[in-house]
Amino acid sequence: MAQNNIDNIKDHAELFHQDEYQELFQAKKEFEGGHASEEVQRIAEWTKTWEYREKNFAREALTVNPAKACQPLGAILAAVGFEGTLPFVHGSQGCVAYFRSHFTRHFKEPFSAVSSSMTEDAAVFGGLNNMIDGLATSYNLYKPKMIAVCTTCMAEVIGDDLQAFIKTSKEKGSVPEEFPVPFAHTPSFVGSHITGYDNMMKGILTNLTAGKKTETKNGKINFIPGFETYIGNLREIKRIANLMGVDYTLLADNSEYLDSPNTGEYNMYPGGTPLDVAADSINAEATIAFQAYSTTKTREYIQKDWQQPTYVTRPVGIRGTDEFLMKLSALTGKPIPKELEEERGRAVDALTDSQAWLHGKRVSMYGDPDLVIGLVQFLLEVGAEPIHIVVTNSNDVFETELRALLDSSPFGQNAVIYGGKDLWHMRSLLFTEPVDFFIGNSYGKYLWRDTHTPIVRIGYPIFDRHHLHRYATYGYSGTINLLNWIVNTILDELDRNTIVPAKTDISYDLIR
Amino acid sequence: MTPPESATLEETTAVNQALSVADTKELIKEVLEVYPDKAKKKREKHLNVYEAGKSDCGVKSNIKSVPGSMTTRGCAYAGSKGVVWGPIKDMIHISHGPVGCGYYSWSGRRNYYIGTTGIDTFGTMQFTSDFQERDIVFGGDKKLAQLITELEELFPLNRGVSIQSECPIGLIGDDIEAVAKKSAKEIGKTVVPVRCEGFRGVSQSLGHHIANDAVRDWVFPQYDKAKKEGNVPEGTPYDVAIIGDYNIGGDAWSSRILLEEIGLRVVAQWSGDGTLHEMINTPSVKLNLVHCYRSMNYISRHMEEAYGIPWLEYNFFGPTKIAESLREIAAKFDATIQQKAEEVIAKYEAQTQAVIEKYRPRLEGKTVALMVGGLRPRHVVPAFYDLGMKLIGTGYEFGHNDDYKRTTHYVENGTLIYDDVSAYEFEEFVKQLKPDLIASGIKEKYVFQKMALPFRQMHSWDYSGPYHGYDGFAIFARDMDLALNSPTWSLIGAPWKQAEATA
């Protein structure tokens, strides 16, 4: 019997290693019609070759293990940063179940969103009735202060017109006339989740700020985080702004929503940027976005329609944070306080402490464009060498920007940017041109298993490690977090590789 | 299990279940108050209280979800790719359409399998045609055909391909069946087109049905052909198939081991850790053993009609039902098997006793509210009973009337029944009924944990498992205990706040 010790009940991680199950697996093969193990081995080896890599890179129609999601995921992340806001996704209902599960698995927090649950009849006649009923029901049930509407590809393919539908729904009394229902068309066959974030943010700001422009500025700085999944980053930005005495508006602040205290009472809409505060963002002095490629249209809109200057700074690493602080200081006239200068000193001190373990290390990475630029900023500062950079949701402007950054450092010379490629391409890269470690989200664990390249988990989603999303990667304190994750991964790996007694443990050192 | 007489039951459960049938009905009414009229009329048919002796639960089911209600349901694609086809490990399942569907369902269900991923098995990978605007405008058939050619070159050991349609495919008029036929010839392998676009039907349930039909139409003809040509391997009188076990956390294995121990020969596993070869050979079995009736009753009925194979639903949750099921299964075979079934039940007696002795005292009398999919809203109930726990509410995400009829054999008088429950309703019911444990899905988990309520995911076993079979029951008991008796729950609420409240 496999559970032969009541004080040590074995779940899957151990149960199936036992003899009776190993025998079961062996016996099952008789029925499977599988390939001979030599053949499996032969193909497995072949996939590690340059020949395979060339075939792999020659594919045009097939995508395998992409590092991108679709628009509405980003749209609803933008929406929940606003006070009392319920995301409403118009189209098929399965999408919403997927989005909610995805965010919930990453943040380990509730995530509320509704669907208009369109089915075959809506595919034929359009989803207007679903919108009318859906708005009425969600308004009554969940008592939001705002409902932010985006679309699934189904609604986009049949051409549903959100503006007209929302207008009609209001006329039919689904929600009060003055109730804010911003919207964004978010077709999943255009761009990726970062595009959806951009579209929804622009949609919400357009709605909330309509008619709110005043003669005078409000003296504030707007911050737009972009598709941000590190709650610590939002808190770090707020902390820095408070330390500097800068009056700011975070567009939008989903840090409470995605990391709410457990008080024993469930609150569906914790925190969020108040709607009137968001509405007044049109009167700010300037807007700073911390990501460029998830805010492109939003910044364009702010510049054109609000006549407000916009800037992009990525406060990652020492110089990235320097740049942000100096920009903020220049815009507001507030000096950078000593406390931050000391933090900078401590972070630099930490980097110099660890630099020997990072210098010249070959690094691969994949992720969203802005995440990757931030990581490269940091890696170049510590003398690590980016090698393979895979960005599935890439674009030309981004690649030019990243190339310029890489070219600015002797440590960036060997990097190749693989725009539009996926993690199966990355697998070939890691086999043919190995690196010391790579940076990616949880899906990278399959690359770790196959290529034995150590993984540092940074990105979205992170499903298989707990609490990393609570930390900051921004600011000087975030720099220490990045350093900690990276250098200690390298040291863990070194221990793993030197742990065999009398064989490799010569280098199993106590002091490093 | 026969439901006990209603009068005695109300007394015995009075401690844990504060509400009578009438009170619970009143609660349903109150909860419905907030809905707009049209939605209220729809929703009131889905909520009821089970009354002992009735032949069903008194709720309507398998009806469109109310827009805006925050249903937990998924879609047909989720039912086909995510549930039925995805676990077939040696085939490549293409998420055909935009990138999202395949991304969100990538490795989401732990359909365990043995194999070298990316070489001879492909379960935890995401293959997609990643539709762009031009594919929507000009159609995706050419891309699909090219994609299958590329798959074959890069993954030569695949045994076949399935095309899992996402919403746009059916809306733009692509002919994936034609592509499938042509590509099958080209690569000399099975290529299965599945019309599981997400807007079809009212939940993932239709996706199961469509996926079942695709097996019938695109896989079984290969059995028929082989049979005609005399190429079907000779079976034994003890050949069975496990149908509708997706091997979450290894469930199918901890079930299979028992079936093999009683002397049966499991020639196919559908679909957790299953292969195309197993699927093709299934019509040769003597009996289909159905775990998840909801998702695979269609193909079981088809095999009964077309091949004369009887099928039997079994329940391997908890020792009471396991023993009952093993005896029922054995009864379909000869005395040798029946004898072995008794031996197996006896063999695990000590293991089970140890589990119950350790955990029952820690769980006795605790109440649970369930809300899951498939068969679990009823099938796991006896495992809770085995641990001395009580069920106060249950419901299905996407059940049908036949599920609710079957449920009557599992629940007691006064149990609250909710079909396709909305987030709002579930929260309100829980606030009123105050179960000790909620057993539901990931979207619900943190809502209730924020309410300081112990929770276990009953779709994914909260990354634990297996829960099936005798080995699984030990893990189930351990997990319910660690959820209910965790010291972390007592940390919720700052002590000075509590002091202020009582002052």
Side-chain angles (χ1 to χ4, degrees), chain A residues 41-223:
Chain A
Q41 192 55 39
R42 188 181 70 80
I43 297 294
E45 288 305 317
W46 172 60
T47 65
K48 300 174 183 174
T49 63
W50 276 92
E51 182 202 343
Y52 187 86
R53 170 174 164 168
E54 273 154 31
K55 275 184 197 295
N56 191 9
F57 274 76
R59 65 184 146 97
E60 292 170 342
L62 170 67
T63 298
V64 187
N65 298 353
K68 68 170 180 181
C70 68
Q71 282 211 47
L73 184 83
I76 68 174
L77 186 72
V80 300
F82 293 90
E83 177 194 18
T85 298
L86 181 66
F88 182 113
V89 187
H90 181 57
S92 304
Q93 74 191 5
C95 315
V96 173
Y98 277 142
F99 308 148
R100 294 180 64 207
S101 299
H102 217 255
F103 280 136
T104 301
R105 285 171 179 150
H106 175 84
F107 292 109
K108 307 204 186 297
E109 293 288 323
F111 197 106
S112 303
V114 297
S115 165
S116 61
S117 297
M118 286 164 64
T119 56
E120 285 103 329
D121 53 343
V124 177
F125 301 111
L128 176 60
N129 286 331
N130 298 66
M131 175 74 79
I132 294 170
D133 294 347
L135 284 177
T137 297
S138 53
Y139 177 76
N140 281 285
L141 247 53
Y142 300 110
K143 305 195 170 18
K145 293 197 166 129
M146 177 163 86
I147 295 177
V149 180
C150 62
T151 49
T152 77
C153 54
M154 180 213 183
E156 289 299 323
V157 172
I158 66 171
D160 277 4
D161 179 347
L162 291 182
Q163 184 160 22
F165 281 18
I166 292 166
K167 186 164 175 281
T168 307
S169 300
K170 285 191 168 181
E171 283 163 8
K172 300 252 179 195
S174 297
V175 296
E177 188 54 44
E178 67 285 359
F179 184 80
V181 186
F183 65 90
H185 286 275
T186 49
S188 51
F189 44 82
V190 175
S192 70
H193 54 289
I194 60 175
T195 324
Y197 178 94
D198 196 12
N199 286 333
M200 190 79 252
M201 184 55 71
K202 183 185 163 191
I204 291 172
L205 293 179
T206 305
N207 179 298
L208 291 179
T209 63
K212 303 288 180 182
K213 182 102 175 169
T214 57
E215 288 299 307
T216 52
K217 300 265 179 194
N218 65 13
K220 291 181 171 183
I221 303 292
N222 298 323
F223 296 134

Side-chain angles (χ1 to χ4, degrees), chain A residues 21 28 65 121 142 260 446, chain B residues 64 69 107 273 450 471:
Chain A
Y21 283 101
K28 183 175 179 292
N65 298 353
D121 53 343
Y142 300 110
S260 67
Y446 300 131
Chain B
K64 274 193 249 180
S69 65
S107 294
D273 192 39
K450 292 280 185 209
D471 290 340

Side-chain angles (χ1 to χ4, degrees), chain B residues 385-399:
Chain B
Y385 289 162
D386 283 336
L387 294 169
M389 294 175 67
K390 292 183 181 299
L391 179 80
I392 59 174
T394 193
Y396 295 77
E397 255 183 53
F398 49 82

